[in-house]
Coordinates of all heavy atoms in Angstrom, one line a residue:
H139 N -183.7 113.5 66.6 CA -182.4 113.4 67.1 C -181.3 113.7 66.0 O -180.4 114.5 66.3 CB -182.2 112.0 67.7 CG -180.7 111.7 68.1 ND1 -180.1 112.2 69.2 CD2 -179.8 110.9 67.5 CE1 -178.9 111.8 69.3 NE2 -178.7 111.0 68.2
E140 N -181.5 113.1 64.9 CA -180.5 113.3 63.8 C -180.6 114.7 63.2 O -179.5 115.2 62.8 CB -180.8 112.2 62.7 CG -180.5 110.8 63.1 CD -180.3 109.9 62.0 OE1 -179.9 110.3 60.9 OE2 -180.5 108.6 62.2
L141 N -181.7 115.3 63.2 CA -181.8 116.6 62.5 C -181.8 117.8 63.5 O -182.0 118.9 63.1 CB -183.1 116.7 61.7 CG -183.3 115.7 60.6 CD1 -184.5 116.0 59.7 CD2 -182.0 115.5 59.8
N142 N -181.6 117.4 64.8 CA -181.5 118.4 65.9 C -182.8 119.3 65.9 O -182.8 120.5 65.9 CB -180.3 119.3 65.7 CG -180.0 120.1 66.9 OD1 -180.3 119.7 68.1 ND2 -179.4 121.3 66.8
I143 N -184.0 118.6 65.8 CA -185.3 119.3 65.9 C -185.7 119.3 67.4 O -185.9 118.2 68.0 CB -186.3 118.6 65.1 CG1 -185.9 118.5 63.6 CG2 -187.7 119.2 65.2 CD1 -186.7 117.7 62.7
N144 N -185.7 120.5 68.0 CA -185.9 120.6 69.4 C -187.4 121.1 69.8 O -187.6 121.2 71.0 CB -184.9 121.6 70.0 CG -183.5 121.1 69.8 OD1 -183.2 120.0 70.0 ND2 -182.7 122.0 69.3
N145 N -188.2 121.2 68.8 CA -189.6 121.8 69.1 C -190.7 120.7 68.9 O -191.8 121.1 68.6 CB -189.8 123.0 68.3 CG -189.8 122.8 66.8 OD1 -189.0 121.9 66.3 ND2 -190.5 123.6 66.0
V146 N -190.3 119.4 69.0 CA -191.3 118.4 68.8 C -191.2 117.4 70.0 O -190.2 117.0 70.4 CB -190.9 117.6 67.5 CG1 -191.7 116.2 67.4 CG2 -191.2 118.4 66.2
T147 N -192.4 117.1 70.4 CA -192.6 116.0 71.4 C -193.4 114.9 70.8 O -194.5 115.2 70.3 CB -193.3 116.5 72.7 OG1 -192.6 117.6 73.2 CG2 -193.5 115.4 73.7
A148 N -192.8 113.7 70.7 CA -193.5 112.6 70.1 C -194.2 111.7 71.2 O -193.5 111.4 72.1 CB -192.6 111.7 69.2
V149 N -195.5 111.4 71.0 CA -196.2 110.7 72.1 C -197.0 109.6 71.4 O -197.7 109.7 70.4 CB -197.2 111.7 72.7 CG1 -198.1 110.9 73.8 CG2 -196.6 112.9 73.4
Q150 N -196.8 108.4 72.0 CA -197.5 107.2 71.6 C -198.8 107.1 72.4 O -198.8 106.8 73.6 CB -196.7 105.9 71.7 CG -197.4 104.7 71.2 CD -196.6 103.4 71.3 OE1 -195.5 103.4 71.6 NE2 -197.3 102.3 71.0
S151 N -199.9 107.3 71.8 CA -201.2 107.3 72.4 C -202.3 107.3 71.4 O -202.1 107.9 70.3 CB -201.3 108.4 73.4 OG -202.6 108.5 74.0
R152 N -203.5 106.8 71.7 CA -204.7 107.1 71.0 C -205.1 108.5 71.4 O -205.0 108.8 72.6 CB -205.7 106.0 71.3 CG -205.4 104.6 70.8 CD -206.5 103.6 71.1 NE -207.7 104.0 70.3 CZ -207.9 103.6 69.0 NH1 -207.0 102.9 68.4 NH2 -209.0 103.9 68.4
V153 N -205.7 109.2 70.5 CA -206.0 110.6 70.7 C -207.0 110.8 71.8 O -206.9 111.6 72.7 CB -206.4 111.4 69.5 CG1 -207.7 110.8 68.9 CG2 -206.5 112.8 69.7
E154 N -208.0 109.9 71.8 CA -209.1 110.0 72.9 C -208.6 109.7 74.3 O -209.2 110.0 75.2 CB -210.3 109.1 72.5 CG -210.0 107.7 72.4 CD -209.6 107.2 71.0 OE1 -209.0 108.0 70.2 OE2 -210.1 106.1 70.6
A155 N -207.4 109.0 74.3 CA -206.8 108.6 75.6 C -205.8 109.6 76.1 O -205.3 109.5 77.2 CB -206.3 107.2 75.6
Y156 N -205.4 110.5 75.2 CA -204.3 111.4 75.5 C -204.7 112.4 76.5 O -205.6 113.2 76.2 CB -203.8 112.0 74.2 CG -202.7 113.1 74.4 CD1 -201.5 112.7 75.0 CD2 -202.8 114.4 74.0 CE1 -200.5 113.6 75.2 CE2 -201.9 115.3 74.2 CZ -200.7 115.0 74.8 OH -199.7 115.9 75.0
Q157 N -204.1 112.4 77.6 CA -204.4 113.4 78.7 C -203.4 114.5 78.7 O -202.2 114.2 78.9 CB -204.6 112.7 80.0 CG -205.7 111.7 80.1 CD -207.1 112.3 79.8 OE1 -207.4 113.4 80.3 NE2 -207.9 111.6 79.0
T158 N -203.8 115.7 78.6 CA -202.9 116.8 78.7 C -203.6 117.9 79.6 O -204.7 117.7 80.0 CB -202.5 117.4 77.3 OG1 -201.6 118.5 77.5 CG2 -203.8 117.8 76.6
R159 N -202.9 119.0 79.8 CA -203.6 120.1 80.5 C -204.7 120.5 79.6 O -204.5 120.7 78.4 CB -202.6 121.3 80.7 CG -201.5 120.9 81.7 CD -200.7 122.2 82.0 NE -200.1 122.8 80.8 CZ -199.0 122.4 80.2 NH1 -198.3 121.4 80.7 NH2 -198.5 123.0 79.2
L160 N -205.9 120.7 80.1 CA -207.0 121.1 79.3 C -206.7 122.3 78.5 O -206.1 123.3 79.0 CB -208.3 121.3 80.2 CG -209.0 120.0 80.6 CD1 -210.2 120.3 81.5 CD2 -209.5 119.2 79.4
H161 N -207.2 122.4 77.3 CA -207.1 123.6 76.5 C -205.6 124.0 76.3 O -205.3 125.1 76.6 CB -207.9 124.7 77.0 CG -209.4 124.3 77.3 ND1 -210.1 123.6 76.5 CD2 -210.1 124.5 78.4 CE1 -211.3 123.4 77.0 NE2 -211.4 124.0 78.2
D162 N -204.8 123.1 75.9 CA -203.4 123.3 75.7 C -203.0 124.0 74.4 O -202.0 124.7 74.4 CB -202.7 122.0 75.8 CG -201.7 122.0 77.0 OD1 -201.6 122.9 77.7 OD2 -201.0 121.0 77.1
F163 N -203.7 123.8 73.3 CA -203.2 124.0 72.0 C -203.9 125.1 71.3 O -205.1 125.2 71.3 CB -203.2 122.7 71.2 CG -202.4 121.6 71.8 CD1 -203.0 120.6 72.5 CD2 -201.0 121.6 71.6 CE1 -202.2 119.6 73.1 CE2 -200.2 120.6 72.2 CZ -200.8 119.6 73.0
D164 N -203.1 125.9 70.5 CA -203.7 126.9 69.6 C -204.3 126.2 68.4 O -205.2 126.7 67.8 CB -202.6 127.9 69.1 CG -202.0 128.6 70.3 OD1 -202.7 129.3 71.0 OD2 -200.7 128.6 70.5
G165 N -203.7 125.1 68.0 CA -204.2 124.4 66.8 C -204.1 122.9 66.9 O -203.1 122.4 67.4
V166 N -205.2 122.2 66.5 CA -205.2 120.7 66.4 C -205.2 120.4 64.9 O -206.1 120.7 64.2 CB -206.4 120.2 67.1 CG1 -206.5 118.6 67.0 CG2 -206.5 120.6 68.5
L167 N -204.1 119.7 64.5 CA -203.9 119.4 63.1 C -204.3 117.9 62.8 O -204.0 117.0 63.6 CB -202.5 119.6 62.7 CG -201.9 121.0 62.7 CD1 -200.4 120.9 62.8 CD2 -202.3 121.8 61.5
S168 N -204.9 117.7 61.6 CA -205.1 116.3 61.2 C -205.0 116.2 59.7 O -205.4 117.2 59.0 CB -206.5 115.7 61.6 OG -207.5 116.3 60.8
R169 N -204.4 115.2 59.2 CA -204.2 115.0 57.7 C -204.6 113.5 57.4 O -204.0 112.6 57.9 CB -202.7 115.2 57.4 CG -202.4 115.0 55.9 CD -200.9 115.3 55.7 NE -200.4 115.2 54.4 CZ -199.8 114.1 53.9 NH1 -199.6 113.0 54.7 NH2 -199.4 114.0 52.7
A170 N -205.7 113.4 56.6 CA -206.2 112.1 56.2 C -206.4 111.2 57.5 O -206.0 110.1 57.6 CB -205.2 111.4 55.3
F171 N -207.0 111.8 58.5 CA -207.2 111.2 59.8 C -208.5 110.6 60.0 O -208.7 109.4 60.4 CB -206.8 112.3 60.9 CG -207.1 111.8 62.3 CD1 -206.4 110.8 62.8 CD2 -208.0 112.4 63.1 CE1 -206.6 110.3 64.2 CE2 -208.3 112.0 64.4 CZ -207.6 111.0 64.9
A172 N -209.6 111.4 59.8 CA -210.9 110.9 60.1 C -211.9 111.9 59.6 O -211.5 112.9 59.0 CB -211.1 110.8 61.7
S173 N -213.2 111.6 59.7 CA -214.2 112.5 59.3 C -214.1 113.7 60.3 O -213.6 113.7 61.3 CB -215.6 111.9 59.4 OG -216.0 111.7 60.8
L174 N -214.7 114.9 59.8 CA -214.6 116.1 60.7 C -215.3 115.8 62.0 O -214.8 116.2 63.1 CB -215.3 117.2 59.9 CG -214.6 117.7 58.7 CD1 -215.4 118.9 58.0 CD2 -213.2 118.1 58.9
N175 N -216.5 115.2 62.0 CA -217.2 114.9 63.3 C -216.4 114.0 64.2 O -216.3 114.2 65.4 CB -218.6 114.4 63.1 CG -219.6 115.5 62.9 OD1 -219.3 116.7 63.3 ND2 -220.7 115.2 62.2
D176 N -215.7 113.0 63.6 CA -214.9 112.1 64.4 C -213.7 112.8 65.0 O -213.4 112.7 66.2 CB -214.4 110.9 63.6 CG -215.5 109.8 63.4 OD1 -216.5 109.9 64.1 OD2 -215.3 109.0 62.5
M177 N -213.1 113.7 64.2 CA -212.0 114.5 64.7 C -212.4 115.3 65.9 O -211.7 115.4 66.9 CB -211.4 115.3 63.6 CG -210.3 116.3 64.0 SD -210.0 117.5 62.7 CE -208.6 118.3 63.5
L178 N -213.5 116.0 65.7 CA -214.0 116.9 66.8 C -214.4 116.1 68.1 O -214.1 116.5 69.2 CB -215.2 117.7 66.3 CG -214.9 118.6 65.1 CD1 -216.2 119.2 64.6 CD2 -213.9 119.7 65.6
A179 N -215.0 114.9 67.9 CA -215.4 114.1 69.0 C -214.2 113.6 69.8 O -214.2 113.6 71.0 CB -216.2 112.9 68.5
W180 N -213.1 113.2 69.1 CA -212.0 112.6 69.7 C -211.0 113.7 70.2 O -210.2 113.4 71.1 CB -211.2 111.7 68.7 CG -212.0 110.5 68.3 CD1 -213.0 109.9 69.0 CD2 -211.9 109.8 67.1 NE1 -213.6 108.9 68.3 CE2 -212.9 108.8 67.1 CE3 -211.0 109.9 66.0 CZ2 -213.0 107.8 66.1 CZ3 -211.2 109.0 65.0 CH2 -212.2 108.0 65.0
C181 N -211.1 114.9 69.7 CA -210.0 115.9 70.0 C -210.6 117.2 70.6 O -209.9 118.2 70.8 CB -209.3 116.3 68.7 SG -208.6 115.0 67.7
H182 N -211.9 117.1 71.1 CA -212.5 118.3 71.6 C -211.8 118.9 72.8 O -211.9 120.1 73.1 CB -214.0 118.0 71.9 CG -214.1 117.1 73.0 ND1 -214.2 117.4 74.3 CD2 -214.2 115.7 73.0 CE1 -214.3 116.4 75.1 NE2 -214.3 115.3 74.3
H183 N -211.1 118.1 73.5 CA -210.5 118.5 74.8 C -209.1 119.1 74.6 O -208.5 119.6 75.5 CB -210.3 117.3 75.7 CG -209.5 116.2 75.1 ND1 -209.8 115.5 74.0 CD2 -208.3 115.6 75.6 CE1 -208.9 114.6 73.7 NE2 -208.0 114.6 74.6
L184 N -208.6 119.2 73.3 CA -207.3 119.6 73.1 C -207.0 121.1 72.9 O -206.0 121.7 73.3 CB -206.7 118.8 71.9 CG -206.6 117.3 72.1 CD1 -206.1 116.6 70.8 CD2 -205.7 117.0 73.3
P185 N -207.9 121.9 72.1 CA -207.5 123.3 71.9 C -207.9 124.2 73.0 O -208.8 123.9 73.8 CB -208.4 123.6 70.6 CG -209.6 122.7 70.7 CD -209.1 121.4 71.4

Side-chain angles (χ1 to χ4, degrees):
H139 173 72
E140 292 198 28
L141 302 190
N142 195 29
I143 299 170
N144 299 314
N145 59 331
V146 167
T147 303
V149 177
Q150 182 180 351
S151 174
R152 296 182 64 84
V153 64
E154 59 269 36
Y156 177 59
Q157 297 299 319
T158 181
R159 294 188 303 277
L160 279 178
H161 308 314
D162 240 2
F163 298 100
D164 298 305
V166 179
L167 298 159
S168 75
R169 177 178 181 265
F171 172 64
S173 71
L174 295 179
N175 274 338
D176 282 347
M177 177 193 183
L178 296 171
W180 296 335
C181 305
H182 64 90
H183 59 299
L184 298 176

